[in-house]
Amino acid sequence: MPSVARFADLLHDLRQLERAAAPAHGRLILDAFGRHTPFAAGAVYMREAGTSQLRLAAAARCNAPELIECDPPREVTVSHRLPLDPLPHVVLPLHAHREPVGLVALNKDHGGIEEEELAMLRAAEAFLGTVISNHRLQLEAREGDFQLKYRLWELESLYDIGLSIAATLNIEELADEILFRMISLTNARRAALFLREGNRFRLYRSFGEVREDFLDQELAEQLVREGTPLSFEENTDCIFPGCCAYVALPIRGNNNVIGVLAAADRETREGGIGAFE
């Protein structure tokens, strides 16, 4: 295959990174070089967020440690002494928005690196930087669009709650509506509504496992005294048995705290449990 056509095919394969999830980038890079260049072995490392370490993303026909302490070279470098076996013939830096984010170490089976191959690698390195930068920009744009839509949905939900309050005098229906909206807005797995009876608070409605007795007296007094939402990130059995984090906020009426809304176990976008924002 002519070198120009082979290089065009390499760029075409590298461009697929824009459509792939970041964890697959290392394998896609090595596969592209293995198919269209003499460099069929090597490893890809990506920088760990907030550290100076590089983590192995993919390896082919070489022994590569999981983590290395190394600053990626500023440009394509021949005979870079990375802790790989065998030592790489050439190392390409990976950049996103001109910031080093990783490197690609490559090996040939036979012979040294020709000048034409080195020129091709320099062009591929520049193209990879553009592709990775575009991929990150797309992720940032999608995240920004998601946050905007989520805020609009929050406002619509709050508006719907206002309509529900104005449209009904049935406190049971209203309590169910409020708890449902609260769970939806906060991504909580459990929620509870307590209403005040004298100096104490009684559980009125709940979703998920909640203590059936009165709200903890110390917490109730703090809510009445301070009148601001309280959040807890340590394990507690105060309201929700065995929860990792919960939030409680007072409901005001006639200048007094007349109830308490509480939620627990906020689901993160990754599927885990996190603290309330």
Side-chain angles (χ1 to χ4, degrees):
M1 179 185 297
S3 59
V4 173
R6 187 171 58 185
F7 181 61
D9 289 339
L10 171 65
L11 298 187
H12 176 270
D13 283 6
L14 292 177
R15 189 153 196 170
Q16 304 312 306
L17 270 65
E18 289 184 345
R19 302 183 181 90
H25 285 184
R27 175 52 55 191
L28 287 173
I29 291 171
L30 288 183
D31 287 348
F33 279 104
R35 280 194 296 268
H36 306 298
T37 76
F39 301 93
V44 177
Y45 282 88
M46 301 300 293
R47 186 182 295 281
E48 288 274 89
T51 73
S52 60
Q53 292 183 319
L54 300 176
R55 180 174 294 276
L56 182 66
R61 296 171 55 191
C62 77
N63 294 319
E66 186 68 22
L67 288 173
I68 59 174
E69 289 276 356
C70 173
D71 289 326
R74 294 182 179 274
E75 57 187 23
V76 175
T77 304
V78 178
S79 299
H80 194 288
R81 298 193 65 81
L82 287 174
L84 275 63
D85 182 22
L87 289 173
H89 287 112
V90 63
V91 175
L92 286 65
L94 296 177
H95 293 87
H97 311 306
R98 299 184 180 180
E99 292 295 323
V101 296
L103 59 83
V104 182
L106 298 172
N107 285 80
K108 289 179 66 176
D109 287 336
H110 304 288
I113 300 178
E114 300 176 2
E115 189 59 37
E116 181 182 340
E117 293 172 338
L118 199 56
M120 177 191 67
L121 291 174
R122 290 193 182 102
E125 177 264 328
F127 185 78
L128 264 174
T130 300
V131 171
I132 293 174
S133 296
N134 288 344
H135 182 267
R136 295 195 172 194
L137 284 173
Q138 290 171 9
L139 291 179
E140 291 171 3
R142 283 199 293 267
E143 179 64 23
D145 185 59
F146 170 82
Q147 292 296 337
L148 176 60
K149 290 180 179 178
Y150 184 76
R151 295 307 176 195
L152 289 173
W153 177 67
E154 281 184 323
L155 291 174
E156 290 174 355
S157 295
L158 293 173
Y159 178 71
D160 288 343
I161 291 174
L163 291 180
S164 298
I165 293 174
T168 181
L169 296 177
N170 187 322
I171 192 171
E172 293 184 357
E173 293 180 4
L174 186 57
D176 289 339
E177 174 76 8
I178 290 174
L179 284 186
F180 171 76
R181 294 289 182 176
M182 184 177 188
I183 287 176
S184 299
L185 286 167
T186 62
N187 294 321
R189 291 183 178 177
R190 292 184 277 178
L193 171 64
F194 294 84
L195 295 182
R196 190 171 185 175
E197 291 185 357
N199 293 325
R200 309 181 77 182
F201 291 86
R202 178 177 62 85
L203 179 64
Y204 187 77
R205 277 287 190 277
S206 66
F207 289 149
E209 186 181 5
V210 183
R211 281 182 51 179
E212 293 293 335
D213 53 358
F214 284 85
L215 184 64
D216 178 81
Q217 190 64 26
E218 181 179 348
L219 175 61
E221 291 175 357
Q222 185 177 0
L223 284 165
V224 172
R225 182 175 64 254
E226 298 180 6
T228 57
L230 303 175
S231 61
F232 301 83
E233 298 183 17
E234 68 275 3
N235 289 332
T236 177
D237 285 327
C238 177
I239 299 176
F240 303 95
C243 74
C244 297
Y246 75 89
V247 63
L249 60 151
I251 303 172
R252 288 189 171 276
N254 296 325
N255 297 319
N256 290 312
V257 176
I258 60 173
V260 172
L261 267 175
D265 301 333
R266 185 183 72 86
E267 291 189 3
T268 65
R269 292 179 64 185
E270 293 75 30
I273 300 297
F276 287 87
E277 299 172 354

